[in-house]
Amino acid sequence: MKTRVSGVCKDCFCNVYGVSPSHVDMVVRELKTGTTNSSQVFSDHSTSPLAVLAGLRRVAKSFGIHLTKRQVAAAKLPNSPVVLSAYGWMLDHFKLVGDYQPNLGGEIHLEPRHIVEIYREYTLDLQHAEIPAVSVDQFASIWTNCLPYVKIREFKAVTGKCQCCADLSTLRRTHKSQMDREYVTTMHALHRSAYMGERAAYAERRNKAIMQKSSFMSCISDGMAQNHCILPHFGNQNSWGADSLPQHLQGVLNHNRGIIIIYRTFHTVNNCSNVAMHCFLDTLQKTINAEGKLPDTVFYQIDGGPENTAYCWFALCELIVARRLCKRLVLTRLMVGHTHEDIDSKYGTLWKKIRSKYVYTPQQYKDHIESALSTKKSRCTVEDLFAIPDYKKLLDAHTDRRLNAQIKGEKTSQKIEAEWKKVQKQW
């Protein structure tokens, strides 16, 4: 074999073929010494390094091939009956106990459980079937490499705060048979068809504000968990207890207007309907200041907290329409236990930023809020409220409680109509 090429510059050869000089020297040295490296022969037991498989979808796409998640997982699986059995068990298990929520990554969410608990359930099932099981490390490796889209959700006690979801979650954990779990999953799908209908309606209202900004305005308001707002904050350690300074954060997200306002109160202001109405009115005022007027239709989404269900809220909405600030105001109370929307994701982003930090003063907390929630498209501002008007006292004096059945729905439409005629005669 000829090991020397005359008349070829070594540097030019390396540049043309894209190899390093040290690699050329290594090849020449092996040729001179007669050292040879035999390549591995491919077979159905061959596996590829994960680094090679990382670009598998990209390579397949260049040939016009779209690989599914299961096809990518198949390329990573070792050809072992034990491993294949474990992978099949995971697919069935996650199908029965996972929540298939619509999200960008197509993730499957599991309730908070340690992976060891799931592994014990796996070994118990295989023990009854007299099939050998993989080790816990292999089990975790198969999950990580082949099923990365199955996630154990953080900070989730139950599915929302809905009693029905909590009961179904308990049934799904305690019943082991496939038939029972399929039935519980079907019941959850039936329940989900109810609350997802309201979420779809909320998304429709929000999209109207995004696509037709001049005609529609959409806002959502909610408060942050109280135990996440205590100062001073020492990472994940305990606070000062009775000597700590509690805060209340009431956020308003104004869709497609680049505004996220966090209204902060301390012990000087009680968290009541007055705070909720003040945040709403201030958001409307800021929109008027920026655009000159309100759109014809205003959508405002709230949760079922007591500060949002007072009668004065309905009186305020009627007053706003009566004063011709807008033609139509839609106040929507989201379903109990399923109020986790885009405003709550903002609080989740904030908590992930500060939960492991040390925050001593209100000003430091404010800086963290604005830093965590401000983006290129939306700016977050924090406004401290130390005193607010008593809107409830003003509105209650002009609220007719005899028509409260229209709100509660305790009477039939005929009785409501009769009550209304009595009021008209008195007027």
Side-chain angles (χ1 to χ4, degrees):
M1 180 182 293
K2 187 177 181 181
T3 59
R4 182 177 181 85
V5 180
S6 303
V8 177
C9 173
K10 181 179 179 181
D11 293 335
C12 180
F13 179 87
C14 293
N15 290 331
V16 169
Y17 289 98
V19 296
S20 64
S22 60
H23 186 70
V24 173
D25 293 339
M26 181 188 68
V27 173
V28 171
R29 183 170 60 253
E30 290 180 353
L31 288 172
K32 286 182 178 180
T33 58
T35 305
T36 58
N37 291 323
S38 59
S39 299
Q40 183 181 2
V41 179
F42 288 113
S43 68
D44 59 349
H45 290 280
S46 301
T47 57
S48 301
L50 294 178
V52 175
L53 294 172
L56 183 60
R57 279 187 168 174
R58 176 176 52 81
V59 174
K61 188 177 180 181
S62 65
F63 289 99
I65 302 173
H66 174 71
L67 296 178
T68 64
K69 293 177 180 177
R70 294 190 65 168
Q71 288 173 326
V72 174
K76 299 178 181 180
L77 281 171
N79 189 8
S80 165
V82 178
V83 173
L84 294 174
S85 174
Y87 176 69
W89 183 91
M90 289 182 185
L91 291 177
D92 291 337
H93 180 77
F94 296 149
K95 180 180 178 181
L96 294 174
V97 304
D99 289 331
Y100 288 78
Q101 307 291 350
N103 50 65
L104 184 62
E107 295 180 350
I108 301 175
H109 294 160
L110 304 181
E111 297 174 12
R113 296 177 66 192
H114 198 278
I115 189 174
V116 176
E117 295 181 28
I118 302 176
Y119 176 76
R120 290 197 192 105
E121 190 171 339
Y122 154 72
T123 54
L124 184 61
D125 287 349
L126 266 64
Q127 183 178 358
H128 293 313
E130 297 182 354
I131 300 175
V134 298
S135 65
V136 64
D137 292 335
Q138 285 180 302
F139 187 85
S141 177
I142 296 170
W143 187 338
T144 303
N145 297 327
C146 302
L147 298 162
Y149 53 90
V150 180
K151 306 287 186 181
I152 298 177
R153 193 180 299 173
E154 276 188 295
F155 314 123
K156 175 175 173 285
V158 295
T159 311
K161 298 178 182 178
C162 171
Q163 186 61 42
C164 180
C165 287
D167 293 339
L168 290 173
S169 298
T170 303
L171 290 173
R172 191 156 53 183
R173 285 195 301 267
T174 55
H175 287 70
K176 304 299 183 182
S177 71
Q178 181 175 354
M179 183 179 298
D180 290 346
R181 282 181 167 174
E182 286 180 352
Y183 181 77
V184 172
T185 302
T186 303
M187 291 299 99
H188 181 261
L190 180 63
H191 174 59
R192 190 171 182 272
S193 66
Y195 67 78
M196 285 305 296
E198 173 54 38
R199 285 186 171 176
Y202 166 60
E204 182 181 3
R205 295 190 291 267
R206 180 179 59 201
N207 289 341
K208 284 183 177 180
I210 294 174
M211 304 303 295
Q212 306 176 54
K213 184 177 178 180
S214 60
S215 301
F216 297 94
M217 172 181 172
S218 174
C219 300
I220 184 170
S221 175
D222 200 1
M224 188 171 178
Q226 194 62 41
N227 58 336
H228 293 170
C229 305
I230 298 176
L231 290 175
H233 177 72
F234 302 116
N236 288 324
Q237 303 178 29
N238 293 329
S239 61
W240 282 359
D243 296 327
S244 59
L245 175 65
Q247 308 173 100
H248 174 72
L249 302 183
Q250 187 73 21
V252 178
L253 179 59
N254 196 343
H255 299 116
N256 198 33
R257 284 174 165 81
I259 301 175
I260 305 173
I261 309 173
I262 303 296
Y263 297 92
R264 182 169 62 171
T265 58
F266 299 92
H267 60 281
T268 57
V269 177
N270 292 328
N271 179 28
C272 58
S273 56
N274 286 324
V275 174
M277 288 188 290
H278 182 82
C279 297
F280 175 50
L281 292 173
D282 188 68
T283 302
L284 296 181
Q285 185 62 53
K286 284 180 169 56
T287 304
I288 294 174
N289 295 341
E291 303 177 13
K293 65 181 184 66
L294 291 177
D296 290 343
T297 303
V298 175
F299 299 114
Y300 198 68
Q301 283 77 212
I302 56 176
D303 62 9
E307 71 277 6
N308 295 323
T309 56
Y311 289 117
C312 54
W313 256 107
F314 302 96
L316 176 64
C317 294
E318 291 181 0
L319 179 62
I320 291 173
V321 176
R323 296 299 298 269
R324 299 294 189 269
L325 293 177
C326 64
K327 294 182 179 179
R328 181 169 171 250
L329 197 159
V330 181
L331 182 69
T332 305
R333 176 183 174 182
L334 303 176
M335 289 185 66
V336 176
H338 297 283
T339 60
H340 187 91
E341 293 292 350
D342 42 5
I343 184 69
D344 298 276
S345 66
K346 303 295 183 183
Y347 291 136
T349 300
L350 172 61
W351 178 240
K352 285 185 178 180
K353 179 179 178 61
I354 68 170
R355 64 179 175 178
S356 59
K357 296 182 181 296
Y358 285 72
V359 186
Y360 300 106
T361 65
Q363 183 58 43
Q364 287 180 338
Y365 201 98
K366 176 181 178 180
D367 294 339
H368 282 303
I369 295 174
E370 295 178 345
S371 161
L373 302 185
S374 294
T375 63
K376 293 181 180 179
K377 295 183 179 180
S378 60
R379 179 176 55 89
C380 177
T381 58
V382 177
E383 297 190 8
D384 292 329
L385 305 177
F386 297 102
I388 57 174
D390 192 347
Y391 301 102
K392 187 177 185 301
K393 183 178 180 180
L394 172 65
L395 294 169
D396 282 349
H398 303 280
T399 303
D400 193 339
R401 292 300 182 92
R402 288 174 294 181
L403 298 177
N404 60 1
Q406 289 181 311
I407 299 172
K408 289 186 175 181
E410 295 174 348
K411 299 180 179 180
T412 63
S413 58
Q414 294 178 350
K415 291 183 178 181
I416 292 175
E417 186 176 354
E419 189 77 16
W420 172 245
K421 288 181 179 179
K422 291 181 182 179
V423 174
Q424 282 183 319
K425 289 181 179 180
Q426 293 176 5
W427 287 349

